[in-house]
Amino acid sequence: MAVSDKPQQADLDRCVHCGLCLNACPTYRELRVEMDSPRGRIYQMVQVANGARVTDSYREHIDLCLACRACETACPSGVKYGRLVEAARAEIEQRTHRPLSERLLRRVVFNHILPSRAGLRIAALGMRFQQHVKLPGRLGELASLAPRVESAPFWPQIGRNFPAIGRKQHRIAFLSGCVANVFFARLNEATIRVLQRNGCEVAIPINQTCCGALHVHAGLREPARKLARRNIDAFLGGNFDAIITNAAGCGSTLKEYGELLDDPRADKFASLVKDVTEFLAAIDLDKNMGEIRETVTYQDSCHLAHGQKIRSAPRELLRRVPGLEIREMSMADSCCGSAGIYNILHTDMSLALLRKKMDAVNATGADRIVTANPGCMLQLRAGVDRWGRAQRVSHVVEVLDEAYSKML
Ligand code: SF4
Ligand code: SF4
């Protein structure tokens, strides 16, 4: 069932203003400003729903939200905060005009880069150039948060079918992402190897596209709907047991396509979507792994822990790797400050959160940080460069792939 493009009264009415979400909210913990807390943001949404103007101040408080959904986990009244903030941003998009420079930047990123292979290629060229140049001041700070372009992109694999190793037990489809095809090609390859190793025939449907998560988070619901329809057409005809993603941010939106589109096919699509850790933890995992003698700490991705309520699956998978010692950091499910392109748009807040995250990581003494979302990996790598102790940063499936590779 689709949800319309402004906060719905029934969702707003669920908030009883108890304030139990306040200390779960990273922006509130940082600023101690009620209007930058979940309760304060909901209060402002109620004012707008009752006829108040959409002001610049309202937009700034809603923009500064990470959409991490930690408040959803903390809320005893079941407030669907993620749905509210996405709808509030959609309403802001419809009712206000951003400055020209911001509109141009958003148009380029959301219309011409994320959903377009040609656009991503051009962006990758620019970023490859930037990797070899030391930029001054603020530009250099932003560049240090940008992803590294990997030398062979993943695109040539799109459209291919990878056979199961051993007896075929599952036929699954893999969503390779948009920017991940350029910046996380090795992670995508590792994901396919681990799935093959676990009895999966892996298809990568050729007509797939960007999932639209960043569009939804930015309030651009119509472009997101176009992308969702294209993915539904690309994946639903294949008679797959599951549609797998290795990006928690994408998975959260893919599982909510039914809220984006009023179309039973969207509900069917959403019911097939599984995060790769969720899928692997639920099957009879191949235990034939070599030892990795290391200590690791696991960072919950917001959109896995709070968005999809998946916390134990990645930890269970790590526990099955022989030799691996897991040390929990404090507040592992608190946002690292990545949040899509938040680290570029709100760099100061993002870095403040990252600094705290790295203090928690360093206190564990772990050799490696493991997470389940490419965006978090980028942010944590930037954290290691600034405040870390040379920890490696990996996705859960990369650790499994490494353990399997020791038994080849
Ligand atoms: S969002 Fe939930 S926890 Fe926060 S004030 Fe409202 S009812 Fe209370
Ligand atoms: S989504 Fe995250 S940043 Fe936004 S109000 Fe909730 S806890 Fe705070």
Side-chain angles (χ1 to χ4, degrees):
M1 170 71 87
V3 172
S4 38
D5 296 347
K6 63 178 189 179
Q8 297 300 290
Q9 199 58 48
D11 289 335
L12 293 169
D13 287 346
R14 275 185 178 227
C15 177
V16 296
H17 310 291
C18 64
L20 290 172
C21 53
L22 264 61
N23 281 318
C25 174
T27 57
Y28 179 75
R29 281 202 308 268
E30 212 49 44
L31 302 171
R32 297 283 157 188
V33 170
E34 172 73 16
M35 290 300 136
D36 286 311
S37 78
R39 181 174 65 183
R41 290 185 175 115
I42 291 171
Y43 176 79
Q44 294 168 84
M45 289 177 206
V46 170
Q47 302 301 304
V48 169
N50 289 338
R53 260 184 348 105
V54 174
T55 58
D56 287 349
S57 151
Y58 175 63
R59 192 178 71 198
E60 280 159 22
H61 292 300
I62 298 295
D63 276 356
L64 195 65
C65 168
L66 295 140
C68 69
R69 293 164 73 163
C71 47
E72 242 181 73
T73 299
C75 175
S77 302
V79 170
K80 300 270 184 212
Y81 182 84
R83 189 151 93 186
L84 280 172
V85 76
E86 285 167 5
R89 285 177 177 168
E91 187 178 27
I92 287 169
E93 279 312 296
Q94 292 158 36
R95 291 183 49 184
T96 62
H97 276 291
R98 290 177 184 272
L100 183 64
S101 57
E102 216 177 300
R103 270 186 282 149
L104 280 176
L105 178 71
R106 285 163 71 90
R107 185 169 297 175
V108 169
V109 171
F110 292 110
N111 296 358
H112 300 294
I113 294 184
L114 294 176
S116 153
R117 220 177 269 191
L120 276 168
R121 272 205 181 95
I122 294 167
L125 273 177
M127 292 176 92
R128 198 186 283 276
F129 171 73
Q130 163 261 302
Q131 278 169 212
H132 299 290
V133 180
K134 191 156 173 43
L135 296 169
R138 191 66 163 176
L139 276 177
E141 195 157 73
L142 286 174
S144 73
L145 295 169
R148 294 276 171 270
V149 179
E150 293 188 336
S151 51
F154 189 77
W155 287 311
Q157 314 306 330
I158 297 179
R160 287 186 62 190
N161 222 35
F162 293 82
I165 295 173
R167 190 169 67 84
K168 176 178 140 185
Q169 297 171 67
H170 315 276
R171 178 171 149 71
I172 64 118
F174 176 61
L175 182 116
S176 68
C178 52
V179 291
N181 290 306
V182 183
F183 305 117
F184 286 95
R186 305 294 84 76
L187 167 61
N188 280 353
E189 288 162 6
T191 306
I192 291 168
R193 281 193 296 273
V194 170
L195 289 165
Q196 286 180 284
R197 178 86 182 219
N198 282 284
C200 297
E201 178 190 346
V202 184
I204 311 183
I206 192 151
N207 289 325
Q208 64 177 282
T209 186
C210 166
C211 69
L214 292 176
H215 298 78
V216 171
H217 297 158
L220 302 168
R221 290 172 79 83
E222 269 319 309
R225 288 187 176 109
K226 275 193 196 143
L227 298 170
R229 286 193 196 96
R230 194 165 140 196
N231 277 327
I232 291 168
D233 289 343
F235 282 85
L236 263 199
N239 203 19
F240 298 113
D241 301 329
I243 298 167
I244 302 286
T245 172
N246 57 18
C250 303
S252 184
T253 293
L254 293 166
K255 287 181 178 181
E256 289 169 358
Y257 270 4
E259 293 191 8
L260 197 60
L261 298 171
D262 195 3
D263 176 352
R265 295 172 75 236
D267 295 325
K268 165 83 180 149
F269 177 98
S271 70
L272 289 172
V273 175
K274 297 263 181 296
D275 183 78
V276 65
T277 62
E278 176 185 21
F279 179 82
L280 289 170
I283 64 173
D284 188 14
L285 195 78
D286 180 353
K287 297 178 187 67
N288 207 10
M289 302 179 202
E291 273 194 356
I292 301 181
R293 292 226 154 265
E294 261 182 39
T295 50
V296 300
T297 190
Y298 177 71
Q299 158 67 19
D300 287 283
S301 300
C302 300
H303 283 92
L304 201 60
H306 305 301
Q308 300 178 56
K309 317 290 179 218
I310 297 172
R311 291 163 183 268
S312 61
R315 290 178 169 84
E316 267 171 40
L317 293 172
L318 293 174
R319 273 196 285 272
R320 292 189 207 174
V321 177
L324 213 61
E325 184 195 334
I326 306 172
R327 289 188 196 156
E328 288 288 342
M329 70 175 95
S330 65
M331 300 182 74
D333 66 351
S334 184
C335 185
C336 62
S338 169
I341 54 171
Y342 186 96
N343 55 358
I344 307 293
L345 300 175
H346 303 283
T347 308
D348 292 340
M349 175 62 76
S350 171
L351 288 177
L353 300 176
L354 181 58
R355 173 91 218 220
K356 292 208 166 102
K357 181 58 62 182
M358 288 311 301
D359 289 344
V361 166
N362 290 337
T364 67
D367 309 310
R368 192 184 321 204
I369 314 168
V370 185
T371 186
N373 188 45
C376 309
M377 291 170 68
L378 289 177
Q379 179 82 346
L380 292 166
R381 278 181 189 149
V384 170
D385 286 348
R386 280 160 195 261
W387 302 297
R389 300 189 184 151
Q391 296 95 336
R392 288 174 70 191
V393 178
S394 305
H395 192 288
V396 177
V397 287
E398 288 179 321
V399 178
L400 295 178
D401 185 50
E402 205 176 307
Y404 285 133
S405 73
K406 291 175 185 279
M407 297 304 282
L408 289 176

